[in-house]
Amino acid sequence: MEELLVYAILLSEELITEDEYNKRLDELFLSSPENDDLLYLEWETDIKKAIIYVRTHMDYNNLDLEQLGRILMSKLKAIYIDCSDIKRFAGRMYSLWEGLPGNIQNIEPFWILCYADDPLSWGDEEQTRNIYEHMLNYYKD
């Protein structure tokens, strides 16, 4: 469910499309058709209700933080590469940080999302990029 949580968070922040979410949900369901949560989500046609379902049915005390982090950083890396405006990206990342589960907001690398844009306030785009790239490569083997 960690992967679906990442997709739900990214979708709620409009960083991925509903089609991307649905495609991944379909793939997850086809690989685990006995999963009641995935079955429910397959039938849920209201995307806002689906996001709420994912967010309220997670066991936040037993999250696989490495899996969640790897998936999130992989998705964010693709968004970062495609985004030509670092200020726009930075603004979206702070909002994303606010949408993360509270129990992981202050854990590295997630907490980087809340301060990586600080150097932009004094015009240091290079430092901001270095901070984001460190975060995006946090799980690099």
Side-chain angles (χ1 to χ4, degrees):
M1 284 289 283
E2 282 80 0
E3 185 168 8
L4 217 47
L5 177 61
V6 168
Y7 275 72
I9 292 169
L10 292 174
L11 180 59
S12 65
E13 295 298 325
E14 299 178 355
L15 291 165
I16 64 168
T17 65
E18 190 173 332
D19 286 341
E20 287 177 84
Y21 166 85
N22 284 323
K23 181 180 179 196
R24 190 61 190 136
L25 173 61
D26 291 345
E27 292 167 353
L28 292 169
F29 177 70
L30 288 173
S31 68
S32 298
E34 72 288 343
N35 184 306
D36 290 338
D37 291 323
L38 296 175
L39 177 63
Y40 172 85
L41 291 166
E42 279 289 312
W43 283 98
E44 181 55 70
T45 58
D46 184 330
I47 194 64
K48 289 180 182 177
K49 287 181 181 178
I51 291 170
I52 291 169
Y53 183 89
V54 170
R55 294 189 70 120
T56 58
H57 284 78
M58 286 299 304
D59 181 359
Y60 291 104
N61 293 321
N62 292 308
L63 285 174
D64 182 340
L65 292 181
E66 183 165 340
Q67 180 188 18
L68 186 136
R70 285 182 181 277
I71 295 164
L72 180 60
M73 294 309 144
S74 172
K75 297 299 289 177
L76 290 180
K77 192 173 212 173
I79 294 165
Y80 175 78
I81 290 168
D82 288 343
C83 186
S84 59
D85 183 354
I86 189 67
K87 290 178 184 173
R88 184 171 185 271
F89 179 82
R92 311 277 317 265
M93 294 304 100
Y94 184 79
S95 180
L96 174 69
W97 176 77
E98 291 180 311
L100 290 175
N103 65 324
I104 70 167
Q105 284 181 330
N106 296 322
I107 297 172
E108 194 165 338
F110 310 107
W111 66 283
I112 293 172
L113 292 165
C114 83
Y115 71 81
D117 63 337
D118 288 353
L120 290 176
S121 65
W122 59 83
D124 195 343
E125 182 177 314
E126 182 180 349
Q127 185 176 3
T128 293
R129 287 189 179 280
N130 288 337
I131 294 168
Y132 279 127
E133 289 169 15
H134 167 74
M135 176 194 73
L136 295 170
N137 291 313
Y138 184 83
Y139 295 100
K140 192 173 185 180
D141 295 325

